[in-house]
């Protein structure tokens, strides 16, 4: 995430950098061209300015010449010339000079000698020689229009007019100061600044007039280039005025010329700034467009790395390269997921949960035992109850998810370092707890029992999970890993048998299981030695109280142990398959007893079937053989099957049930309410009767919940057209309750315990007499 964030920053940075580079180059180019064109413009302006300046001087000269010509033609002046009277001449010069605004006026004779001078400036008279020289130059036609000369440190514009009578007798020379007035005119005309520079007495120039005001002295050092004048950068052009260094300096402020370009530049700058902003936002979005999916790809790969292959990738719908990448990535995920099981199996042993398998667990236990300094450890083994039914009813996929969830719950208890959780087989798990003794391990197991009490919630399905826990410790119970595991297993099966949630191994359990083994081989001989007995438990009609049936229950008359109850050998008979012979023996015995039972008024007799019977496709034929032999109809029998017996192998069970039903047997679901089957499923089966499990019936007087279950089971069964039998009716009030709930039949110790077949007839007679005398069982 960190790196991709940097990537987007880098993309944005790069784009902005490039943009700024291009803009800076453009900016520089424009600036350079502004510079050069400003320079050109300024130079051109100054050139024009020079022409205007010269023209201005010429115009003035022309008007001065007119004034001088007028003087030369003036009668008074001519007669003063004729008189040769200097006084008169001077006053004539003075009059005229004043009239046309000349500062200096002089009469120069044909020999170029200055004869009379009027000098209003008061300093030029000393420079008579200069005046004479000027007149001479003008006489020779040089600067006839006007000539500028420096007189007394001040530039003057001179004009000379020849006086003829009729031959040339001399010259009238008039001089006008070139000063502030003309400088201001020039500024007004051209917009340029002007400074007049004249050499002073000490040889250094000074500004005699200028449009610059106080900054005029700055202009003294200006050449034909830039100069800083009055704090302003200006371009200058020097126009010589007269010999001796006087000059007019034409000046133009650079800023004024550049101003329009500056505006352009500012506009450029504004456009650049806006461009940068737009670009920044644009490239940021572009970068995000790329880096956001990249980031999610990174997250996804981290997830894949963790082994989570369930999350489909985002951005696969995109039609660009990112989309292609995401699609390729997602395909990779799917492929990995497909192989994940194998990969996990390679790495850990169990492909479903990722937990170690039995072999690895065994090795880990052995290693823990062998580890130097290891003093004790315990193994907790557990096996889920009825897990097979979860698989059968809800499907293997669902079963897998249950196993995963269970594995997670167990792993939650492996909190200490060195603790190890393994999946030994289908629904069998184990925990290795180093440094923990039996008591400590029992506490862990009990915590797990508590954890398991919370139902699993998968896809809105609540699944109750329970398990039997067995614990064995090293070195207390076993010396090596194999022995330890088998002791834990023995303890676990003992826990399941005794429906204790957890048991620590005890050598006595093993003795018990050894006993069990010998019991099974004994059971085999029991048939041959005819040690099995048929007991019958009466069933009555709840409504009328009449004896209407009986359930056949097996007993084992053991030569040493006495009467062995079925719960001590039926489960083992089922495990070994021996129960199939037992069922046939019971069926045969019941069939033989039937004629007597029928004569006692019974409608039918019930016989229990087990899972093993149901998966035996030949069962209907075998039963039929027995019926044939004794000439008894199938309709005399009700066959009781537990829900779990059906759910162990639903398809084969269903086939057998269909065959039995069409052979004429009534079918009953035994222990209803303890399994996983739903009525909706049972409806598909050719069932006639539901037998509510005794645990609910026995509890219904005390537990409101049990009463509710009984009530709703009766209602549902009736709705499905099934008759309902309540077993475990231990007292009168329960029977009354059942009557109120419209239950059909009842069976239980309140009516009678299972009786040896020989005693049944006597019971039936007693029952009928009592029935007749009281007219109702309910009292
Ligand atoms: P089940 O089929 O549910 O049989 C009913 C059991 O409930 C019988 O126990 C019976 O004695 C007992 N019972 C009857 N009324 C009451 C009562 O009011 N209160 C209490 N607490 N119990 C009552 P039993 O005979 O020990 O049989 C136990 C189980 O052994 C049977 O349960 C059945 O699953 C199995 N079993 C018995 N005989 C056979 C057989 O011939 N074949 C097969 N496959 N299983 C059998
Ligand atoms: Ca039964
Ligand atoms: Ca039962």
């Amino acid at each position: 995430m960190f790196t991709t964030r940097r990537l987007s920053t880098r993309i944005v940075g790069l784009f902005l950098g490039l943009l700024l580079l291009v803009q800076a180059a453009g900016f520089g180019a424009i600036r350079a061209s502004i510079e050069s064109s400003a320079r050109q413009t300024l130079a051109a302006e100054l050139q024009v300015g020079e022409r205007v300046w010269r023209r201005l001087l010429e115009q003035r000269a022309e008007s001065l010449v007119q004034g001088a010509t007028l003087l030369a033609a003036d009668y008074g002046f001519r007669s003063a010339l004729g008189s040769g009277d200097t006084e008169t001449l001077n006053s004539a010069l003075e009059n005229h000079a004043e009239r046309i605004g000349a500062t200096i006026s002089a009469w120069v004779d044909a020999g170029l000698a200055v004869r009379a001078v009027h000098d209003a400036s008061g300093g030029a008279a000393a420079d008579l020689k200069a005046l004479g020289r000027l007149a001479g130059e003008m006489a020779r036609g040089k600067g006839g229009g006007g000539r500028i000369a420096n007189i007394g440190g001040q530039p003057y514009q001179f004009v000379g007019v020849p006086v003829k009578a009729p031959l040339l007798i001399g010259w009238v020379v008039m001089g006008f100061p070139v000063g502030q007035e003309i400088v201001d005119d020039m500024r007004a005309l051209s917009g340029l600044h002007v400074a007049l520079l004249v050499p002073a007495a000490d040889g250094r120039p000074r500004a005699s007039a200028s449009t610059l005001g106080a900054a005029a002295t700055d202009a003294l050092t200006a050449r034909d280039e830039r100069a800083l004048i009055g704090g302003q950068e200006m371009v200058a052009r020097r126009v010589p005025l007269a010999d001796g260094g006087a000059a007019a300096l034409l000046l133009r402020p650079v800023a004024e010329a550049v101003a329009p370009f500056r505006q352009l530049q500012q506009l450029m700058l504004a456009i650049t700034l806006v461009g940068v902003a737009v670009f920044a936002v644009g490239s940021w979005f572009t970068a995000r467009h790329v880096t956001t999916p990249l980031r999610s790809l990174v997250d996804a790969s981290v997830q894949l790395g963790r082994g989570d292959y369930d999350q489909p990738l985002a951005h696969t719908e995109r039609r660009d390269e990112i989309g292609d990448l995401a699609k390729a990535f997602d395909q990779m995920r799917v492929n990995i997921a497909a192989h994940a099981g194998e990969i996990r199996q390679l790495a850990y042993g169990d492909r479903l949960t990722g937990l170690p398998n039995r072999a690895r667990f065994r090795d880990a236990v052995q290693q823990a035992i062998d580890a130097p300094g290891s003093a004790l450890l315990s193994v907790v083994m557990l096996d889920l109850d009825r897990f097979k039914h979860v698989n059968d009813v809800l499907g293997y996929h669902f079963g897998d998810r249950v196993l995963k969830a269970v594995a997670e719950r167990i792993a939650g208890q492996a909190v200490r370092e060195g603790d190890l959780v393994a999946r030994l087989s289908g629904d069998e798990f184990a925990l290795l707890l180093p440094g923990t003794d039996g008591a400590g391990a029992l506490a862990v197991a009990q915590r797990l029992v508590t954890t398991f009490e919370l139902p699993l919630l998968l896809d809105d399905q609540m699944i109750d999970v329970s398990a039997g826990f067995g614990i064995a410790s090293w070195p207390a119970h076993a010396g090596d890993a194999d022995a330890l595991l088998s002791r834990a297993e023995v303890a676990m099966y003992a826990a399941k048998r005794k429906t204790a949630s957890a048991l620590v191994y005890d050598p006595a359990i093993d003795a018990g299981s050894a006993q069990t083994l010998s019991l099974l081989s004994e059971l085999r001989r029991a048939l041959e030695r005819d040690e099995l007995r048929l007991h019958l438990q009466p069933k009555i009609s709840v409504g009328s109280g009449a004896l209407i049936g009986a359930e056949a229950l097996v007993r084992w008359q053991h030569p040493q142990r006495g009467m062995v109850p079925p719960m001590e050998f039926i489960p083992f008979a089922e495990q070994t398959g021996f129960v199939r012979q037992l069922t046939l023996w019971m069926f045969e015995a019941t069939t033989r007893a039937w004629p007597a039972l029928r004569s006692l008024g019974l409608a039918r007799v019930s016989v229990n079937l087990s899972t093993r019977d149901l998966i035996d496709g030949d069962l209907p034929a075998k039963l039929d053989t027995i019926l044939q032999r004794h000439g008894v109809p199938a309709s005399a029998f009700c066959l009781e099957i537990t829900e779990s017996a059906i759910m162990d192998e639903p398809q084969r069970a269903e086939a057998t049930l269909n065959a039995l039903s069409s052979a004429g047997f009534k079918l009953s679901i035994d222990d209803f309410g303890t399994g996983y089957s739903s009525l909706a499923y049972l409806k598909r089966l050719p069932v006639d009767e539901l037998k509510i499990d005794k645990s609910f019936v026995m509890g219904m007087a005390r537990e409101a919940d049990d009463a509710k279950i009984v009530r709703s089971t009766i209602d549902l069964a009736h709705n499905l057209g099934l008759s309902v039998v309540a077993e475990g009716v231990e007292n009168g009030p329960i029977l009354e309750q059942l009557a109120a709930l419209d239950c059909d039949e009842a069976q239980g110790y309140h009516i009678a315990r299972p009786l040896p077949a020989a005693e049944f007839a006597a019971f039936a007679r007693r029952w009928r007499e009592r029935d007749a005398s009281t007219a109702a069982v309910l009292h």
Side-chain angles (χ1 to χ4, degrees), residues 551-553 606-609 640-642 668 670-671 691 694 727 747:
E551 178 175 5
L553 294 160
S606 298
V607 174
N608 291 287
L609 296 186
E640 294 189 2
I641 311 110
T642 59
S668 172
D670 201 357
D671 300 349
K691 242 180 136 169
K694 54 181 169 290
E727 63 176 11
Q747 170 186 350

Side-chain angles (χ1 to χ4, degrees), residues 309-578:
Y309 309 109
D310 297 339
Q311 216 54 43
L313 252 81
H315 306 292
T316 47
E317 75 291 347
R318 281 172 63 143
R319 288 162 141 236
D320 54 8
E321 288 84 346
I322 300 268
D324 292 346
L325 181 61
K327 267 177 255 168
F329 224 82
D330 200 46
Q331 191 53 50
M332 184 179 89
R333 174 188 70 80
V334 171
N335 292 344
I336 291 179
H339 295 296
E342 290 157 37
I343 292 167
R344 276 197 194 150
Q345 198 168 31
L346 283 176
Y348 306 107
D350 176 34
R351 52 193 302 171
L352 178 66
T353 58
L355 295 175
N357 58 13
R358 183 184 286 274
R360 274 166 198 261
F361 185 73
R362 187 218 154 268
D363 291 350
V365 172
Q366 190 60 51
Q367 268 170 26
I369 288 174
D370 295 341
S374 149
L376 82 159
L377 57 85
S378 291
V379 165
V380 178
M381 203 179 280
L382 62 133
D383 183 271
L384 301 183
D385 298 330
R386 298 175 306 271
F387 178 71
K388 202 175 174 341
H389 306 154
V390 174
N391 263 346
D392 290 343
V393 176
L394 300 168
Y396 282 93
H397 179 66
F398 199 87
D400 283 355
R401 292 178 58 197
V402 170
L403 288 176
K404 272 196 204 175
V406 166
E408 271 163 31
R409 286 199 175 175
I410 298 169
Q413 289 300 322
V415 282
R416 290 198 318 197
E417 201 179 315
D419 288 2
L420 181 71
V421 180
R423 181 171 169 230
L424 304 185
S425 65
D427 58 348
E428 210 177 30
F429 293 85
L431 259 163
L432 166 62
L433 304 168
T436 307
D437 62 3
L442 188 63
V444 171
Q446 258 138 15
R447 277 207 298 280
L448 271 170
V449 170
T450 319
T451 315
F452 277 26
E453 273 165 10
L454 219 72
L456 287 174
L457 190 69
L458 294 173
D459 292 347
D460 298 335
Q461 284 258 24
M462 298 259 279
I463 303 291
D464 280 310
V465 186
S466 64
F469 291 78
I471 295 149
S473 306
W474 171 84
H477 303 134
D480 62 27
D482 291 322
L484 189 62
L485 259 64
S486 77
R487 298 278 140 91
E489 193 166 8
V490 164
M492 178 180 81
Y493 281 120
K496 280 172 95 81
R497 259 199 321 275
K498 300 195 171 161
T499 54
S501 45
L503 277 186
V504 180
Y505 175 78
D506 184 329
I509 307 176
D510 250 355
S513 67
Q515 232 172 29
T516 311
L517 275 175
S518 67
L519 187 75
L520 276 167
S521 56
E522 276 183 74
L523 191 55
R524 252 180 264 280
R525 271 173 293 161
L527 261 188
E528 299 156 17
R529 297 179 188 168
D530 202 20
E531 291 170 4
L532 297 182
R533 300 285 177 269
L534 168 67
H535 277 50
L536 291 163
Q537 186 176 28
K539 286 168 79 183
I540 61 162
S541 155
V542 174
S544 68
L547 178 68
I548 52 167
E551 178 175 5
L553 294 160
V554 72
R555 297 290 181 267
W556 183 8
Q557 185 63 57
H558 193 276
Q560 283 87 42
R561 292 203 260 160
M563 195 67 85
V564 184
M567 285 321 282
E568 283 183 22
F569 62 91
I570 292 285
F572 305 104
E574 284 183 332
Q575 276 174 20
T576 55
F578 176 79

Side-chain angles (χ1 to χ4, degrees), residues 88-167:
T88 328
L89 204 55
N90 274 348
S91 80
L93 279 176
E94 187 179 345
N95 284 342
H96 271 81
E98 268 171 15
R99 216 182 312 146
I100 65 168
T103 309
I104 299 171
S105 51
W107 168 244
V108 181
D109 67 12
L112 297 180
V114 179
R115 287 302 179 80
V117 171
H118 165 77
D119 184 357
S121 76
D127 218 352
L128 288 180
K129 262 193 210 138
L131 283 176
R133 203 172 51 246
L134 261 175
E137 280 168 12
M138 285 187 284
R140 285 195 297 275
K142 270 178 143 190
R147 194 172 163 79
I148 293 173
N150 229 358
I151 304 290
Q154 167 78 31
Y156 287 88
Q157 190 173 21
F158 285 97
V159 291
V161 178
V163 180
K164 293 174 181 168
L167 289 171

Side-chain angles (χ1 to χ4, degrees), residues 50 82 87 101 123 201 219 226 235 271 280 286 307 342 488 490 497 501 554 559 609 624 660 681 731 739 766:
E50 183 180 342
E87 269 310 292
R226 298 197 170 195
V235 181
I271 289 173
T286 310
E342 290 157 37
V490 164
R497 259 199 321 275
S501 45
V554 72
L609 296 186
D624 189 53
L660 291 172
Y681 174 70
N731 53 48
R766 270 205 316 280

